[in-house]
Amino acid sequence: MADVFEKLVKDGGPIGQHMDRAHGYFAFPKLEGELKPRMKFRGKEMIVWSLNNYLGLVNHPEVRKADTEAAQKYGMGNPMGARMMSGNTDKHEALENIISEFVSREDTMLLNFGYQGIMSCIDALVNRRDVIVYDAEAHACIVDGIRLHMGYTYAFKHNDIEDFEKQMQRAEKMAEKQGGGILVITEGVFGMDGEQGILKEIVALKKKFDFRILIDDAHGFGYMGPTGAGADEAQGCQAGIDLYFSTFVKSMGSIGAFISGPKAVIKYLRYNTRSQIFAKSLPLIIVDGMLKRMEMVKTMPELREKLWANVERLQNGLKERGFDIGHTNSPVTPIYMKGDVPEATSMVMDLRENYHIFCSIVVYPVIPKGDIIYRLIPTAAHSFDDIDETLKAFEETKKKLDAGAYKAVDIPDMAEKAV
């Protein structure tokens, strides 16, 4: 009989195989200093494009003041226990009411974490007779939630409405056979390629198929649409989206999440979402801080305006310089290039060490071999100078990449050295 740990030591996994050379630099890097567009990395100041701080709230003086006062008043332990047992408060309910009004839904339930929360919501919403249809490029949290489902699932090609119809036809037959219903799951804004989900097109097919739809709008809540209520508001199809999920981690600069929808459904979820009924309530320091953040999002449209001004400058600047940024229609800015993993990491090293630009890189096995994606997240906190310096750096390093200057047999060994 094999030792269950043996395989873990021999094979670090698709990404972990590089850990001995990458840890602390390409993976698990340590940014230091206040959370803002310029931070320290290994002693050097960097322009940082890897923080999902869309509205710049994470270090806003009003937010910091609210968080500090909440910490002094409540500490981290208040309330104790799960909400169902002893952890419910007026402030939790007030935040839920404010979010419900903001996203135009009947009711809202707070969740402790986004990843865990949506997994548990999917688990609670469907039984073995139901069928799930989902976008093939849905986030890992959705995929893991679907793995909990004991019934049939069908994936449609990313943002492909024709394939969606094909999968719906298959799902409809299976649901009828099983005596269940159909839950469609997609995203408001896809965090990797920046494309909005085809929400309006899917909602239109409710006239043809009988289904409910849940969207994960973690990357759209707070800034998409006329009021910032999300991608469904931006696409004018809020009424057709049955359940709206998002986190407080992206635009809000906090932690936690929520799901909004019909009162009867949210009521059911309150009593059946396992990650909530068997877990401690969201701390009041976070809830109180979120009340301030929601107030700012509702009353300070200049935050969204500054974000979109920066998005336009960065994305237009990249396109003018011949970069391929795909079909993004959100702040998420992917830069598509060709090259292998050693090349990609050598370019990242050059960007950090010589140009002081810090951004995330995506390579195989997350995407196909031979492709490189640099993922930049412009925020309301960035300046035009940050953007212009970054555009110059990418223009110069792209020339080096095309000339073969980054060719290497292995990724650079930049791992943290043991003291």
Side-chain angles (χ1 to χ4, degrees):
M1 185 171 67
D3 180 347
V4 71
F5 288 173
E6 186 178 355
K7 64 181 181 296
L8 309 181
V9 177
K10 289 183 177 179
D11 179 12
I15 299 174
Q17 63 179 310
H18 302 296
M19 69 179 82
D20 290 340
R21 304 176 70 85
H23 191 81
Y25 194 91
F26 303 111
F28 295 92
K30 298 173 183 175
L31 289 167
E32 298 175 338
E34 291 190 10
L35 293 169
K36 56 184 183 179
R38 296 188 184 232
M39 299 178 69
K40 289 285 185 69
F41 177 64
R42 291 196 172 184
K44 298 179 181 179
E45 184 180 82
M46 302 277 165
I47 302 176
V48 180
W49 297 99
S50 294
L51 304 181
N52 293 314
N53 180 30
Y54 292 114
L55 295 176
L57 290 179
V58 72
N59 210 31
H60 193 286
E62 291 187 40
V63 166
R64 291 288 294 271
K65 182 174 182 290
D67 288 348
T68 299
E69 291 176 352
Q72 291 174 337
K73 186 174 183 179
Y74 301 113
M76 279 300 297
N78 192 352
M80 292 299 293
R83 280 187 77 184
M84 183 181 286
M85 303 303 292
S86 59
N88 197 24
T89 72
D90 288 340
K91 283 187 176 290
H92 284 75
E93 293 176 353
L95 179 56
E96 288 172 335
N97 291 336
I98 288 170
I99 292 173
S100 295
E101 181 183 3
F102 185 64
V103 299
S104 301
R105 263 72 183 191
E106 289 182 355
D107 203 1
T108 293
M109 179 177 72
L110 296 179
L111 301 162
N112 290 359
F113 298 101
Y115 199 112
Q116 177 195 66
I118 196 166
M119 284 177 61
S120 198
C121 285
I122 292 170
D123 180 49
L125 286 166
V126 291
N127 61 35
R128 65 175 67 244
R129 293 185 298 276
D130 296 322
V131 178
I132 295 177
V133 177
Y134 65 100
D135 191 292
E137 293 189 15
H139 190 270
C141 63
I142 294 173
V143 174
D144 285 353
I146 291 169
R147 285 176 174 173
L148 296 174
H149 180 45
M150 293 181 288
Y152 286 87
T153 64
Y154 299 96
F156 63 93
K157 296 175 184 176
H158 177 50
N159 271 353
D160 187 327
I161 196 65
E162 291 184 3
D163 195 51
F164 173 77
E165 282 203 62
K166 290 178 182 177
Q167 302 310 320
M168 282 299 299
Q169 289 167 3
R170 298 175 67 195
E172 195 172 56
K173 292 177 182 177
M174 185 56 66
E176 289 175 356
K177 179 180 177 181
Q178 297 285 110
I182 301 173
L183 177 66
V184 172
I185 308 176
T186 189
E187 298 188 36
V189 174
F190 286 84
M192 188 64 69
D193 62 21
E195 292 182 31
Q196 294 179 47
I198 50 171
L199 309 180
K200 194 170 185 178
E201 293 89 338
I202 290 175
V203 166
L205 285 175
K206 280 190 167 185
K207 297 175 182 177
K208 185 175 181 179
F209 301 100
D210 186 11
F211 63 89
R212 296 291 188 173
I213 179 171
L214 160 66
I215 69 166
D216 175 348
D217 201 25
H219 286 275
F221 176 70
Y223 73 87
M224 292 293 293
T227 70
D232 57 340
E233 182 191 44
Q235 296 185 32
C237 62
Q238 279 180 302
I241 303 298
D242 300 290
L243 289 168
Y244 181 92
F245 166 90
S246 188
T247 75
F248 302 145
V249 178
K250 314 298 182 184
S251 293
M252 298 294 108
S254 184
I255 197 165
F258 69 90
I259 186 167
S260 301
K263 187 173 290 290
V265 177
I266 299 302
K267 182 178 180 180
Y268 175 86
L269 290 175
R270 287 188 201 282
Y271 283 82
N272 293 278
T273 305
R274 293 172 64 83
S275 68
Q276 295 306 119
I277 61 178
F278 295 112
K280 185 179 181 296
S281 179
L282 198 63
L284 270 169
I285 181 176
I286 295 172
V287 174
D288 212 37
M290 273 303 303
L291 288 169
K292 179 62 179 179
R293 288 163 170 81
M294 288 303 303
E295 175 192 319
M296 293 173 68
V297 167
K298 292 168 66 177
T299 61
M300 297 174 67
E302 61 269 22
L303 296 174
R304 295 195 303 277
E305 292 165 4
K306 181 61 165 64
L307 166 63
W308 284 110
N310 285 344
V311 170
E312 183 177 358
R313 189 177 186 92
L314 176 66
Q315 293 184 355
N316 286 345
L318 288 168
K319 288 188 285 188
E320 288 167 3
R321 289 163 175 78
F323 286 95
D324 177 9
I325 62 171
H327 303 291
T328 180
N329 50 3
S330 77
V332 179
T333 305
I335 304 175
Y336 296 91
M337 298 186 190
K338 292 295 181 182
D340 55 23
V341 174
E343 273 186 292
T345 50
S346 294
M347 183 177 175
V348 167
M349 185 176 167
D350 192 16
L351 279 167
R352 293 180 183 178
E353 299 301 316
N354 300 312
Y355 295 91
H356 302 163
I357 304 296
F358 189 102
C359 63
S360 299
I361 180 176
V362 185
V363 294
Y364 177 82
V366 180
I367 57 175
K369 285 185 177 180
D371 291 334
I372 302 171
I373 299 178
Y374 293 93
R375 182 171 169 269
L376 277 62
I377 305 293
T379 73
H382 282 100
S383 68
F384 281 2
D385 285 344
D386 296 333
I387 294 168
D388 293 342
E389 286 183 43
T390 300
L391 290 171
K392 181 180 179 182
F394 267 92
E395 189 172 21
E396 292 183 9
T397 53
K398 175 66 161 58
K399 291 177 182 177
K400 296 181 185 179
L401 177 69
D402 292 342
Y406 300 126
K407 284 290 184 183
V409 296
D410 202 349
I411 70 171
D413 186 357
M414 296 298 291
E416 286 183 333
K417 305 304 178 185
V419 178

